[in-house]
Amino acid sequence: MMNEMIPTQVVMLRSGKAPALMSFPARPIEGGRLELAPPKRGVWYAEPKLNGWRAIVHTPTGAMWNRYGARLSIAGCFQPALKRLRVLAERGLIWADCEALQRRHHLGRGTLVVLDMMPETGTPTYVERRTWLESFLALEPLYAGDLSSGVRVATDTVLLVPNLHAQSHEEALAFYGRLRECNLTLGCEFFEGVVMKQAQAPYPLQLRNPSEGYRGWQKHRWA
């Protein structure tokens, strides 16, 4: 399963010509406010929806695209993080779906938060992709909403978006509420809500339309 995701070829880490975009980033369907949404059937995971720019990164070259498939104009702000991702190309992380933190608030500037990986081969599930990413990436630290220890998001680095196995609607709602409380403590809109992802959902690769929604993912904002 996981071995099928990881390319067997040796990856050259020197910057070179960027390839064509592999896929538009997966776009969750709008689910409205979570407290007004019906409970989800099956196994789902909740991830914080971060307030940044969606970015697809080809890690060997450091090329970045926005969610519409255009080259990202602020790529120069992420050079230290892109260098870290180039090293991770050796582990098989070739196409990274990220949130780029810059300018919208003061936290984690220059940091790329990895949301998912785009598999070049096979159709690994969300759980399989997460298990693999967690084996070598550190988690973004603010999601729990407990800032008593003075935790802050590191700048100019690479982090993995945290998640919660939401075993009930009430558990997902509690997570949703903690993130909102965290924003109040931080004094900025670091989180925008949650994105719910089906445990068995593959990553939907497509170049048809950047606005095409994916029912395996649903986002729930506060407004």
Side-chain angles (χ1 to χ4, degrees):
M1 292 187 297
M2 294 307 299
N3 287 338
E4 293 175 359
M5 281 201 313
I6 302 173
T8 56
Q9 70 269 24
V10 175
V11 176
M12 298 302 292
L13 299 183
R14 295 175 183 172
S15 296
K17 184 178 179 181
L21 177 66
M22 182 183 184
S23 171
F24 295 122
R27 190 175 179 87
I29 64 170
E30 295 282 354
R33 290 166 55 186
L34 187 61
E35 64 268 30
L36 302 178
K40 291 174 173 51
R41 297 180 180 179
V43 181
W44 290 74
Y45 285 76
E47 293 180 358
K49 187 181 185 311
L50 299 167
N51 185 6
W53 280 265
R54 194 74 175 274
I56 297 301
V57 180
H58 179 250
T59 66
T61 61
M64 298 178 72
W65 292 263
N66 66 20
R67 64 189 178 121
Y68 300 106
R71 292 294 290 271
L72 199 64
S73 62
I74 60 171
C77 300
F78 297 93
Q79 289 308 306
L82 291 172
K83 287 180 181 178
R84 290 176 180 268
L85 280 177
R86 287 191 189 103
V87 175
L88 297 180
E90 287 186 335
R91 291 180 176 264
L93 181 59
I94 307 302
W95 291 93
D97 183 352
C98 303
E99 195 79 7
L101 302 182
Q102 184 73 15
R103 300 179 186 170
R104 288 188 171 177
H105 46 70
H106 62 282
L107 296 172
R109 292 203 172 166
T111 286
L112 293 172
V113 180
V114 177
L115 306 177
D116 213 321
M117 60 85 71
M118 293 175 164
E120 293 188 297
T121 60
T123 55
T125 66
Y126 170 76
V127 170
E128 290 169 342
R129 299 190 308 273
R130 277 290 311 193
T131 300
W132 181 63
L133 289 169
E134 287 172 2
S135 70
F136 57 86
L137 283 174
L139 293 176
E140 179 279 309
L142 296 185
Y143 71 99
D146 179 7
L147 305 181
S148 57
S149 62
V151 173
R152 293 293 182 266
V153 180
T155 59
D156 298 319
T157 191
V158 176
L159 298 170
L160 177 63
V161 69
N163 72 350
L164 168 77
H165 179 194
Q167 301 184 61
S168 68
H169 188 60
E170 290 71 26
E171 194 170 2
L173 279 172
F175 183 69
Y176 184 69
R178 286 201 305 274
L179 295 174
R180 195 167 197 174
E181 291 170 2
C182 186
N183 278 350
L184 293 175
T185 303
L186 292 168
C188 69
E189 294 295 317
F190 186 69
F191 302 112
E192 296 182 314
V194 297
V195 176
M196 303 292 296
K197 298 183 177 181
Q198 287 182 327
Q200 298 303 309
Y203 194 101
L205 301 176
Q206 60 92 12
L207 286 169
R208 294 179 297 273
N209 186 337
S211 298
E212 184 173 305
Y214 178 44
R215 299 199 68 82
W217 296 4
Q218 296 182 26
K219 62 183 173 183
H220 299 275
R221 297 175 183 263
W222 291 304

